[in-house]
Amino acid sequence: MVRTPLTPEERERGERLGRLLREARGGRSMAEVAARAGISAETLRKIETGRAPTPAFFTVAALAGALGLSMDELAGRCVLAEVSGAGL
């Protein structure tokens, strides 16, 4: 299966998600949050650094739950400013 290259906007959205998750993790260790979410610390590291800019929905949902974030808030904060006013 060949993956379509990500657009710059998709990469930016992934980087924004990573920053939000890293900020929400605060002083908790990567291993602790990853274990609570049921993913590997390496997967969390890739998401936080933007190396995995399009994580699976259920991975994001698990991380949101582990960090006490709402999916609505996460999604809203990851949408690029140009897209947010498009009535989506």
Side-chain angles (χ1 to χ4, degrees), residues 1-87:
M1 178 175 171
V2 177
R3 290 187 63 156
T4 305
L6 297 176
T7 65
E9 293 80 16
E10 290 169 323
R11 284 193 297 277
E12 170 58 31
R13 189 174 49 231
E15 290 170 4
R16 186 172 293 160
L17 172 64
R19 284 192 301 272
L20 291 169
L21 294 173
R22 191 170 44 255
E23 289 170 10
R25 183 166 56 84
R28 291 175 279 188
S29 75
M30 205 174 268
E32 174 189 344
V33 172
R36 179 175 272 169
I39 64 171
S40 71
E42 181 60 22
T43 297
L44 179 54
R45 180 177 292 106
K46 287 178 181 178
I47 294 168
E48 284 189 358
T49 60
R51 288 186 8 229
T54 57
F57 172 82
F58 290 104
T59 300
V60 176
L63 284 167
L67 294 167
L69 300 170
S70 79
M71 289 292 286
D72 287 338
E73 178 184 4
L74 254 184
R77 292 180 64 191
C78 287
V79 172
L80 297 176
E82 299 82 17
V83 176
S84 64

